[in-house]
């Protein structure tokens, strides 16, 4: 009987270390192109005066990559950010653990890349909001904004493709 509580304590400790060390695994598994978009959203979010927590990438919902050739791509990435127990402005996030008492931040970014770098024209689009406040109208506006980005750059045939389901 005495071994049971000790085993339970050990198991909990191993699980705690495993969960806390994996907070950055999802981010590290993203391609470099998608990480740059997440970094853009995190930078914009942390500069907002009303945001009081340190956030990390939690998971992708919908990553889309439209390759136009000549090393040019349009990226649309819908993802969640999650608050951590670290202070806002933390530089080294390796020890940050996710909090479960705050809502997720729902983000969508779209941008043009050339040679793997984000282009400044058209201006990258970043929209992040607490998940409970996200409406269907906002979701639709995100998609329409990103579609317009492609049209303004002369790539309507690819972004207007009926084979792409933007709403899933």
């Amino acid at each position: 009987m005495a071994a049971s509580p000790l085993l339970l304590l050990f198991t909990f400790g191993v699980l705690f270390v495993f969960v806390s060390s994996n907070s950055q695994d999802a981010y590290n598994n993203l391609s470099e192109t998608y990480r740059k978009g997440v970094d853009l959203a995190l930078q914009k979010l942390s500069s907002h005066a009303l945001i009081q927590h340190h956030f990390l990438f939690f998971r992708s919902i919908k990553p889309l990559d439209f390759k136009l050739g000549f090393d040019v791509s349009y990226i649309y990435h819908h993802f969640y950010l999650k608050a951590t127990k670290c202070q806002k402005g933390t530089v080294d996030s390796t020890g940050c653990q996710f909090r479960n008492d705050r809502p997720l931040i729902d983000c969508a970014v779209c941008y043009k890349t050339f040679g793997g770098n984000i282009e400044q024209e058209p201006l990258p689009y970043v929209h992040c909001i607490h998940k409970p406040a996200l409406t269907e109208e906002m979701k639709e506006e995100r998609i329409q904004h990103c579609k317009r980005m492609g049209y303004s750059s002369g790539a309507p045939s690819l972004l207007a493709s009926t084979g792409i389901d933007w709403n899933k």
Side-chain angles (χ1 to χ4, degrees):
M1 278 289 199
S4 181
L6 185 58
L7 181 61
L8 239 136
L9 183 61
F10 176 74
T11 303
F12 178 75
V14 169
L15 182 61
F16 178 77
V17 169
F18 177 72
V19 170
S20 65
S21 68
N22 287 334
S23 62
Q24 284 290 80
D25 282 355
Y27 175 82
N28 293 334
N29 288 333
L30 289 174
S31 72
E32 182 68 26
T33 304
Y34 288 114
R35 279 197 301 255
K36 288 178 181 180
V38 170
D39 292 344
L40 197 62
L42 286 168
Q43 181 182 27
K44 186 172 181 177
L45 187 66
S46 67
S47 70
H48 199 284
L50 295 177
I51 297 296
Q52 299 175 3
H53 302 285
H54 180 71
F55 284 82
L56 291 176
F57 175 78
F58 186 57
R59 70 179 170 129
S60 288
I61 305 304
K62 184 172 195 167
L64 295 173
D65 184 353
F66 305 100
K67 296 188 186 307
L68 302 180
F70 303 104
D71 217 11
V72 174
S73 294
Y74 278 92
I75 305 297
Y76 172 81
H77 191 192
H78 178 202
F79 56 91
Y80 293 149
L81 301 175
K82 192 168 184 173
T84 69
K85 295 180 180 180
C86 290
Q87 292 288 339
K88 180 179 178 178
T90 299
V91 177
D92 182 11
S93 299
T94 55
C96 296
Q97 300 167 15
F98 287 128
R99 299 175 66 123
N100 291 319
D101 61 343
R102 298 285 185 260
L104 295 172
I105 300 282
D106 189 296
C107 292
V109 296
C110 51
Y111 48 93
K112 178 183 176 183
T113 64
F114 174 69
N117 295 314
I118 296 176
E119 292 285 294
Q120 292 308 307
E121 289 293 328
L123 190 64
Y125 174 76
V126 178
H127 182 265
C128 295
I129 189 166
H130 281 102
K131 191 172 185 288
L134 183 66
T135 65
E136 289 300 318
E137 292 80 23
M138 288 177 189
K139 289 180 186 178
E140 184 59 30
E141 176 52 33
R142 287 174 168 180
I143 291 168
Q144 293 308 316
H145 185 92
C146 292
K147 284 181 179 179
R148 284 191 302 272
M149 280 179 69
Y151 290 135
S152 68
S153 296
S157 60
L158 194 58
L159 291 175
S161 170
T162 57
I164 298 169
D165 186 1
W166 285 82
N167 297 314
K168 283 194 176 179

